[in-house]
Amino acid sequence: MTDLTSSATGTGRELVAFRIGQQEFAIDITLVREIRGWTAETSIPRAPDFVRGVVNLRGAVLPILDLAARLGLPPAEPSARHVIMVVQMGQQTLGLLVDEVADIQLANDGLIQPTPEVGSELVRQFVRGVLAVDGRMIVLIALDDILPSPSHGVIAA
Amino acid sequence: MMDSMEAIRVTFFQECEEQLAELEAGLVAIEGGTAEPDTVNAVFRSVHSIKGGAGAFQLADLVSFAHGFETVLDEIRSGRLEPRADIMGTMLHAADVLSDLVREARDGTALGIGWREVLADLDAIARHGSVPAEPPPPEADEFGFAPITIRIPTGEPEPMASDPDRLMVEFRPHPTLFARAHDPIPVLRELARLGEARIACDLERLPPLDLLDPEQAYLAWRIELSGVPDTAVRDCFEFLDEDCDLVIGPRSTAGVPPEPEPELALGHLPAARTATAPEPSRPAPSKVSAPSQAAPPPPGAATCGDNAPPPTIRVDLDRLDRLIDLVGELVINQAMLGQRVIEAGVARQPAVATGLDELKLLTREIQESVMAIRAQPVRPLFQRMGRIVREVAAATGKVVRLRTEGEGTEVDKTVVERLADPLTHLIRNAIDHGIETPERRLAAGKPAEGTVRLVAAHRSGRVVIEVSDDGGGIDRSRVRQIAERKGLIPADAQLSDPEVDSLLFLPGFSTTETVSDISGRGVGMDVVKRSIQALGGRLAVASRPGQGSSFGMSLPLTLAVLDGMVVSVADQTLVVPLTAIMETLRPAPGDVRALGPAARVLAIRGGFVPVVDLGEELGFSPAGRAEGAQPVAVLVETSEGACAALLIDSIQDQRQVVIKSLEANYGTIPGIAAATILGNGRVALILDVDALVASSGAPASSSVLSTPLSCSR
């Protein structure tokens, strides 16, 4: 764990770092409402491949996205060790399936390096920068486009 | 500040709705001769409260109309006016107009209501005891605006004021008047506005400053008015009369020195000290402390009487829905707990078993109680129909009486709201098409007055509402003709009577030859049926020639839960709404036949219906059904009347499920209406049968009817 107090500089923000396969990613901690273990989903018909289905989150219906598949990585084969990060995006609550949550990083904007030029469309779509921490590379991603236009059925096309 | 004012305004209009409902109910009771002694008072109170609130919001039209209305009601209440049929007709019409005015004021839209004519009628009744045969004099309009000028001088004696020209008013506020946040100044201003007023402040009781208790009321006023009827003066004090001594009398008899003290500008009230107004020695003072049962309730207080309704509170609907959600979760959690206990192998331990049973009972009871909170009696809905009946009967020249039963039947609020349109349409239909003209009724040996009955009742967990008439019944040969002419059925179709009747529900069917503005508004019975089905209900028709017809609808008690069949498809659990299901069967091998390259049909009783294989359609089993597995067919009917057979693997259960939205967090899914959470905590999707059948290309509407298999049972 990074010592949170030592690196707390003015514009620092907290990021939740998590692992998918061999890669590490991070999202803004303010988006994350809770982290829970994986439970079997109910499939949604004619959904995109990265939508695994829906689960019951204390009475609400929570869609589960396979973040690996969404980022173009090999789809996850979920097990009890996988975790679901419940994120709140505006009025929408989503569950993101990842391999494991690593730690919480405090990073000020100076520490976040611009995304290296790579050809991948998905990288351009989601990656907002990279962090180098103790020899690890943590990819900062944005979730804005993670589930395109809700409630209009576009995603279910 | 604006917000709180707006909130009060909202409350006012909510209360108006209640008052209007009570008003209408009371008037109908009086008209029908079933009025309790207190009914007239209740009716008066309703109008009076509306007037009071409207005054606070400066709704001038509403105030003046309510005032005229109230005046007549007061005459009836005091026994000076007999509630004859013609008068009650006007009163009911006035209630409709009042309701329109309230709506106009609430929505801020001008509806162009001819309320001044009705007001003139009311005035005429108040003055002459009858509706004028001739149109009222035009000047009535000019007087319509100001509440006080409604009494046009007629030469008839004013019932209350013996000398309307000069009045002396003594107004002595009690401390409670100020404690209730009233203020005498606006009242005095209002009096000054009514006519020529000389206002004098009586400082007689004002103690020296060191003895002055700031919470006491020391001031009194004497107001000399000319050219103002005393009823108008009384109205100024109507919400104050419990909190003040008020004496209103003709000036000459008030025992006051003829020349009052120097007139005061309101701003300088304490400037002059006046002579004592002698408290006693009034020959004919009419002390205004209205009889308690007729007294307007103080603002904010609930109307009370001998048969006062139990106290209620207003609750934000969102909070209630949150509570219902939470209880839904509790139910699910309880089911899950039960399952876990069984899995843990301790379910047989008596203590655990008893505890679980009690929890289950308790949960069910909580769920039912919470659902009951959202439930509302259908009474207001039924009362609105009274107006429809009057209007349509008047427009068609028929004499119709509406009889309602079971108004206390409670249904979910949303269901009540969404029933208004279909019910209106059914009632219009019953009068326009069902009830005959008085001449034809007499010729048929029936009373000239037709009856439309509106009945609500609870029946096996659903609410049943029936609209029936004692008219001529459905003219089946004509229905057939029209259906044939419009190509809805083949000319040689063999149809039973019920099948002919249900032709009415086909899209594109309308029996009116000429489009009347009553029921032929481009909306057919198919729309009624569809809106009932959208509520999870069913609509059926029964008719006997010469004796009338009846439309019955069966509705769920709430929209938060749904009766569903829990089925398995390719290892997935789905819920099919029970309202769509006609029957289930296990087709014999070979009953499902290929038709064309991809489509399949199911042979059933000599007919064929298109097959929707749910596993394939929803993409759960793209490879098709495993060989040898024998599917179950669920025969469904869409709200458009199309039939289809859904192929599933097995039926698990039939139960009530709590409806959960998918759209909030995800989006709409074609073929899926919503989701629910099962006892094991898993989410199950609820099918949208209409969308599924439509997307799988099954033919819509009527072609199925020509096959021996009728879908419109």
Side-chain angles (χ1 to χ4, degrees):
Chain A
M1 269 282 205
T2 312
D3 185 350
L4 295 181
T5 49
S6 65
S7 50
T9 54
T11 55
R13 53 178 176 152
E14 286 180 273
L15 305 172
V16 176
F18 51 91
R19 195 175 56 77
I20 296 174
Q22 299 306 310
Q23 303 191 31
E24 281 196 86
F25 298 90
I27 57 172
D28 199 310
I29 199 168
T30 54
L31 295 173
V32 181
R33 265 180 44 182
E34 64 180 286
I35 293 165
R36 46 193 285 126
W38 176 80
T39 49
E41 309 93 351
T42 299
S43 308
I44 293 178
R46 291 175 287 203
D49 57 355
F50 59 83
V51 176
R52 289 199 55 88
V54 285
V55 299
N56 166 24
L57 176 71
R58 289 185 300 279
V61 177
L62 180 76
I64 302 297
L65 308 191
D66 182 350
L67 200 54
R70 186 68 180 120
L71 297 174
L73 305 171
E77 283 168 25
S79 66
R81 287 183 295 110
H82 280 71
V83 294
I84 288 168
M85 291 195 297
V86 180
V87 296
Q88 179 82 45
M89 321 240 316
Q91 294 298 305
Q92 233 177 349
T93 311
L94 294 174
L96 303 178
L97 178 71
V98 300
D99 287 5
E100 65 172 10
V101 171
D103 53 13
I104 293 170
Q105 296 287 339
L106 195 93
N108 61 38
D109 290 345
L111 279 176
I112 301 171
Q113 305 170 17
T115 316
E117 288 288 327
V118 287
S120 162
E121 175 63 35
L122 282 166
V123 166
R124 272 201 296 274
Q125 194 176 353
F126 295 113
V127 177
R128 291 292 175 272
V130 292
L131 252 90
V133 180
D134 305 334
R136 295 150 67 189
M137 183 182 78
I138 301 174
V139 181
L140 176 63
I141 56 173
L143 299 177
D144 306 331
D145 298 329
I146 207 87
L147 191 57
S149 38
S151 76
H152 292 98
V154 177
I155 48 164
Chain B
M1 192 59 200
M2 272 312 287
D3 282 348
S4 69
M5 205 50 202
E6 190 50 38
I8 296 170
R9 204 180 140 88
V10 167
T11 310
F12 165 63
F13 284 115
Q14 279 172 350
E15 280 170 359
C16 275
E17 291 297 320
E18 287 160 21
Q19 305 287 5
L20 286 169
E22 195 169 321
L23 167 66
E24 166 126 18
L27 288 176
V28 169
I30 296 170
E31 189 194 27
T34 57
E36 308 267 322
D38 198 37
T39 307
V40 184
N41 289 323
V43 166
F44 179 83
R45 271 201 303 270
S46 304
V47 179
H48 192 77
S49 306
I50 291 175
K51 183 178 105 175
F57 291 100
Q58 278 122 38
L59 304 167
D61 288 4
L62 194 50
V63 170
S64 31
F65 187 80
H67 182 85
F69 198 172
E70 186 188 84
T71 311
V72 181
L73 288 170
D74 194 39
E75 296 288 300
I76 296 176
R77 189 176 64 160
S78 61
R80 285 189 291 268
L81 188 64
E82 182 75 17
R84 294 190 312 268
D86 58 326
I87 289 179
M88 288 318 292
T90 312
M91 299 307 267
L92 281 163
H93 186 45
D96 296 344
V97 172
L98 187 67
S99 147
D100 282 343
L101 282 171
V102 166
R103 202 145 39 90
E104 193 178 71
R106 182 190 60 203
D107 304 338
T109 49
L111 298 175
I113 308 153
W115 60 275
R116 292 210 172 81
E117 291 74 37
V118 183
L119 181 57
D121 283 354
L122 290 173
D123 283 348
I125 293 176
R127 278 180 289 123
H128 308 294
S130 66
V131 190
E134 307 230 332
E139 66 262 38
D141 274 8
E142 294 159 35
F143 287 115
F145 264 114
I148 40 88
T149 46
I150 275 165
R151 285 173 181 280
I152 305 156
T154 56
E156 288 184 16
E158 291 283 341
M160 287 170 118
S162 56
D163 176 9
D165 262 25
R166 282 181 104 62
L167 275 178
M168 185 51 106
V169 180
E170 282 184 44
F171 170 42
R172 183 173 293 280
H174 297 167
T176 52
L177 183 139
F178 298 97
R180 292 188 199 201
H182 291 308
D183 186 352
I185 302 292
V187 177
L188 297 175
R189 278 203 195 109
E190 180 67 18
L191 286 174
R193 205 178 61 79
L194 290 179
E196 194 187 315
R198 294 160 73 89
I199 303 173
C201 184
D202 174 4
L203 305 176
E204 175 68 19
R205 299 196 182 171
L206 194 65
L209 194 58
D210 53 341
L211 296 178
L212 190 134
D213 176 350
E215 304 215 336
Q216 283 301 311
Y218 299 108
L219 301 180
W221 285 270
R222 268 179 294 134
I223 306 109
E224 192 189 336
L225 290 158
S226 47
V228 179
D230 75 341
T231 48
V233 177
R234 264 163 233 278
D235 287 341
C236 290
F237 291 98
E238 60 186 339
F239 291 115
L240 307 178
D241 51 18
E242 285 183 1
D243 299 315
C244 65
D245 290 330
L246 186 63
V247 180
I248 302 174
R251 180 173 182 269
S252 53
T253 56
V256 181
E259 189 49 53
E261 298 66 38
E263 198 174 327
L264 288 172
L266 284 174
H268 307 95
L269 284 177
R273 179 174 284 263
T274 65
T276 319
E279 271 291 318
S281 80
R282 275 160 303 209
S286 50
K287 187 154 170 122
V288 177
S289 67
S292 63
Q293 81 227 73
T303 33
C304 49
D306 290 342
N307 52 351
T312 55
I313 54 164
R314 289 175 200 284
V315 180
D316 195 1
L317 210 53
D318 286 346
R319 286 198 202 176
L320 199 53
D321 287 346
R322 174 78 190 126
L323 183 62
I324 288 173
D325 271 1
L326 284 171
V327 171
E329 285 167 40
L330 181 65
V331 171
I332 293 158
N333 246 301
Q334 172 262 320
M336 283 166 68
L337 183 63
Q339 213 150 354
R340 298 270 155 81
V341 167
I342 293 168
E343 282 163 16
V346 290
R348 297 250 176 116
Q349 289 180 16
V352 175
T354 320
L356 266 185
D357 279 352
E358 275 171 13
L359 177 64
K360 191 174 177 178
L361 280 174
L362 214 55
T363 320
R364 180 158 294 271
E365 221 163 287
I366 293 175
Q367 186 181 26
E368 280 167 8
S369 316
V370 169
M371 291 298 183
I373 299 179
R374 261 191 78 99
Q376 284 198 322
V378 293
R379 183 174 292 110
L381 179 69
F382 277 21
Q383 279 166 357
R384 264 197 275 171
M385 295 305 137
R387 172 172 189 177
I388 309 287
V389 169
R390 287 195 294 279
E391 286 177 355
V392 179
T396 52
K398 295 172 183 174
V399 188
V400 186
R401 174 167 294 274
L402 177 71
R403 294 205 182 280
T404 55
E405 270 173 50
E407 298 102 321
T409 311
E410 291 191 330
V411 200
D412 187 273
K413 184 177 162 61
T414 321
V415 178
V416 174
E417 282 162 3
R418 285 165 62 182
L419 266 180
D421 281 351
L423 214 49
T424 305
H425 196 82
L426 285 176
I427 297 242
R428 284 192 161 128
N429 219 62
I431 300 172
D432 200 20
H433 301 307
I435 305 277
E436 315 92 324
T437 56
E439 303 81 58
R440 281 183 55 189
R441 287 185 66 88
L442 288 171
K446 295 194 223 179
E449 184 182 70
T451 305
V452 172
R453 277 163 46 90
L454 191 51
V455 181
H458 281 300
R459 214 166 288 160
S460 59
R462 292 174 76 83
V463 65
V464 179
I465 296 178
E466 198 179 84
V467 178
S468 55
D469 61 72
D470 64 347
I474 294 174
D475 185 346
R476 298 207 172 97
S477 59
R478 235 182 103 221
V479 168
R480 269 205 72 127
Q481 274 175 19
I482 291 166
E484 282 170 25
R485 207 180 61 226
K486 299 199 170 174
L488 299 172
I489 51 166
D492 56 349
Q494 294 291 312
L495 298 178
S496 65
D497 284 352
E499 279 171 338
V500 175
D501 292 347
S502 50
L503 289 174
L504 292 176
F505 299 128
L506 286 182
F509 187 95
S510 171
T511 49
T512 8
E513 305 273 298
T514 54
V515 172
S516 69
D517 62 344
I518 307 301
S519 43
R521 296 192 308 166
V523 186
M525 291 295 280
D526 60 314
V527 177
V528 174
K529 186 175 191 190
R530 218 172 304 154
S531 44
I532 300 291
Q533 278 177 331
L535 286 169
R538 276 166 282 194
L539 181 64
V541 57
S543 174
R544 276 200 280 175
Q547 295 182 31
S549 29
S550 123
F551 291 86
M553 55 186 104
S554 145
L555 295 153
L557 291 178
T558 166
L559 297 182
V561 296
L562 165 143
D563 280 309
M565 187 180 278
V566 183
V567 303
S568 302
V569 177
D571 294 334
Q572 297 286 332
T573 304
L574 296 166
V575 179
V576 188
L578 218 52
T579 46
I581 299 178
M582 294 196 295
E583 61 179 291
T584 58
L585 55 133
R586 191 178 281 277
D591 278 355
V592 177
R593 297 182 197 156
L595 178 66
R600 282 185 292 171
V601 292
L602 174 71
I604 172 170
R605 291 191 288 272
F608 297 94
V609 292
V611 162
V612 180
D613 190 323
L614 277 186
E616 278 176 38
E617 186 65 26
L618 300 175
F620 291 150
S621 54
R625 200 162 297 279
E627 277 305 311
Q630 198 47 247
V632 177
V634 179
L635 212 57
V636 293
E637 184 200 10
T638 69
S639 49
E640 273 94 45
C643 281
L646 306 180
L647 287 196
I648 57 168
D649 291 349
S650 63
I651 296 168
Q652 290 182 10
D653 198 3
Q654 184 174 313
R655 53 181 290 188
Q656 274 201 340
V657 296
V658 179
I659 298 172
K660 298 279 176 184
S661 161
L662 272 169
E663 282 157 39
N665 287 332
Y666 185 71
T668 52
I669 306 169
I672 303 297
T676 187
I677 295 166
L678 298 175
N680 60 6
R682 296 269 318 249
V683 177
L685 302 177
I686 302 172
L687 294 182
D688 179 348
V689 170
D690 284 15
L692 266 178
V693 174
S695 73
S696 72
S701 86
S702 57
S703 62
V704 167
L705 259 178
S706 55
T707 70
L709 178 80
S710 165
C711 282
S712 304
R713 262 168 302 175

